[in-house]
Amino acid sequence: MRRVAWKWLGAGTARLTVLLTLSTLGVGSACAPQLSEYQLGVAALEQGDDELAETHFAAALDDEIDGSRARQQLDEIWMARARELEKESPERAADEYRRLLIRDPAAHHARMRLGSLLETRGDVDGAIYVLTQGPPCVQCKAQAAELQARRGRDKMRAGDFVSAYEDMRPAAENDRDPWIQLDAAQCFTAGGAGTAEEALAHLKTAYKELRGNAKLNTRWASLRRDFVHAASARQKWQAARDALAFEDPRAELDAATRAAETWTLTLDFAEAEQAAGNVDDGLAVGKDLWRTMQRSGLPVPAALRARVAMLYLGKLASLSNAGQNAAALVLAKEASDTHPD
């Protein structure tokens, strides 16, 4: 092995001594390579001259062999510089992060640091914008989702549910947090924002993430009730039916109370269908519910039994008005046989 000393005089008075260990290529022959821009940049880093290193790494960006390594080194230099500036000069730090992102949009750590810096300075809108630009980044999306949910909730408190959902929808797409999912669903139930299908999807996602949390369970049950009513009001019958299929998650309720609340909500849905002219569908729901009530072995409140009977009466009135007296008599006998009221 032959040890060769190279001396290079840089900008100003900077002087670097680079010691290279070179392999002998043949008997009596010596290798005397020319340093690449990347190698000069590494040498400058070792001497603590980041500015000079930056110059060489920038010159190596287009090199087929060293380009990617030079880009990584530049990213690290600029990131370190920006982090040092965050406390003493946040504006300059932000400029450094922006400079890095212009050159390398995939510098996700810089994007996240810039987002945090803007949030700290109160520029939540700017932070969300930065975090949602550039190539896909799971961490950036998660960070943006937290800020979008916060901004969306502010809009919800102001009663602007349509605008709120513009934030809550992407937040819910990128964060399965059940509170975010329920807030997104509430934009539909309280303000009609989004679609019934989207709100149902938020409820489904939240249901999977409840994990026995009593507060979450209570809120989910309340929103499910609101959703069934809102979907029914918009005649989104299938979405309402799908929501009714979930078991009430509130473990703190006794079986009779939980069943009675589920039956009540189901009757709300059936009555809405009949009121909308879907008399047969409403009665079918009532019949299924009555069978469920009988099989449950639980006490059925008289008020609920009466509401089931009213569904029969609704169909009987429809048949009578249509002059279908024979069919009305058959239904009346069925009601008498299966329903004691």
Side-chain angles (χ1 to χ4, degrees):
M1 303 292 285
R2 179 173 301 174
R3 193 173 179 81
V4 182
W6 289 80
K7 292 189 177 181
W8 180 84
L9 196 59
T13 59
R15 176 171 179 162
L16 301 177
T17 300
V18 183
L19 297 178
L20 303 175
T21 301
L22 308 168
S23 298
T24 303
L25 300 178
V27 178
S29 66
C31 176
Q34 180 180 357
L35 292 177
S36 69
E37 292 288 352
Y38 177 79
Q39 290 170 323
L40 290 170
V42 171
L45 277 183
E46 292 175 351
Q47 295 297 317
D49 193 336
D50 290 356
E51 184 176 349
L52 185 58
E54 182 180 343
T55 300
H56 288 299
F57 288 139
L61 288 176
D62 294 330
D63 188 280
E64 293 183 1
I65 298 176
D66 294 329
S68 61
R69 293 190 299 171
R71 180 173 290 105
Q72 182 178 358
Q73 292 283 9
L74 275 176
D75 287 355
E76 292 177 2
I77 290 172
W78 289 359
M79 280 288 292
R81 181 184 302 154
R83 281 196 295 267
E84 291 177 358
L85 288 170
E86 282 188 12
K87 290 185 178 180
E88 63 183 60
S89 181
E91 189 62 44
R92 288 179 59 196
D95 288 342
E96 287 291 335
Y97 287 130
R98 291 189 183 98
R99 178 186 176 195
L100 197 161
L101 288 169
I102 289 172
R103 189 185 60 76
D104 184 7
H108 301 312
H109 291 297
R111 191 173 301 283
M112 294 172 67
R113 296 287 296 198
L114 177 56
S116 297
L117 184 60
L118 293 174
E119 177 196 357
T120 301
R121 298 173 59 197
D123 186 4
V124 175
D125 292 347
I128 291 173
Y129 177 81
V130 165
L131 292 167
T132 53
Q133 302 304 302
C137 165
V138 175
Q139 296 95 330
C140 296
K141 288 183 177 180
Q143 187 175 345
E146 182 180 346
L147 297 178
Q148 287 168 321
R150 185 191 308 171
R151 188 170 66 180
R153 286 165 179 152
D154 288 340
K155 295 175 181 178
M156 290 174 69
R157 282 188 284 270
D160 188 357
F161 292 98
V162 173
S163 179
Y165 193 57
E166 293 175 0
D167 281 317
M168 297 310 304
R169 175 166 48 192
E173 287 175 355
N174 295 305
D175 193 333
R176 293 176 61 87
D177 178 86
W179 294 107
I180 292 178
Q181 298 295 328
L182 293 178
D183 286 338
Q186 187 179 349
C187 288
F188 173 79
T189 62
T195 67
E197 291 73 20
E198 288 173 337
L200 178 63
H202 296 315
L203 285 174
K204 288 181 177 180
T205 301
Y207 192 82
K208 297 175 183 177
E209 305 294 332
L210 295 178
R211 307 185 190 284
N213 184 306
K215 289 184 178 180
L216 272 173
N217 292 344
T218 298
R219 186 166 183 227
W220 187 93
S222 176
L223 269 174
R224 192 262 295 267
R225 181 192 64 239
D226 293 344
F227 174 79
V228 170
H229 292 160
S232 297
R234 292 164 177 78
Q235 298 191 15
K236 297 294 184 179
W237 307 117
Q238 189 57 55
R241 284 176 183 270
D242 291 345
L244 285 169
F246 287 93
E247 183 178 351
D248 193 314
R250 293 173 292 175
E252 67 274 13
L253 298 181
D254 60 78
T257 301
R258 186 183 302 110
E261 293 203 10
T262 299
W263 297 341
T264 298
L265 186 58
T266 304
L267 284 168
D268 291 346
F269 169 73
E271 290 165 354
E273 280 216 283
Q274 279 207 342
N278 302 325
V279 178
D280 291 339
D281 291 339
L283 178 57
V285 173
K287 288 180 178 181
D288 288 342
L289 179 60
W290 179 247
R291 286 189 287 269
T292 298
M293 290 173 168
Q294 289 181 311
R295 289 195 300 265
S296 71
L298 296 170
V300 180
L304 297 186
R305 294 200 304 271
R307 289 176 68 182
V308 174
M310 290 300 296
L311 293 173
Y312 276 96
L313 290 175
K315 177 60 177 177
L316 286 170
S318 176
L319 291 172
S320 297
N321 291 336
Q324 300 180 31
N325 296 327
L329 287 173
V330 171
L331 182 62
K333 186 176 186 306
E334 176 189 331
S336 177
D337 292 341
T338 60
H339 190 69
D341 295 322

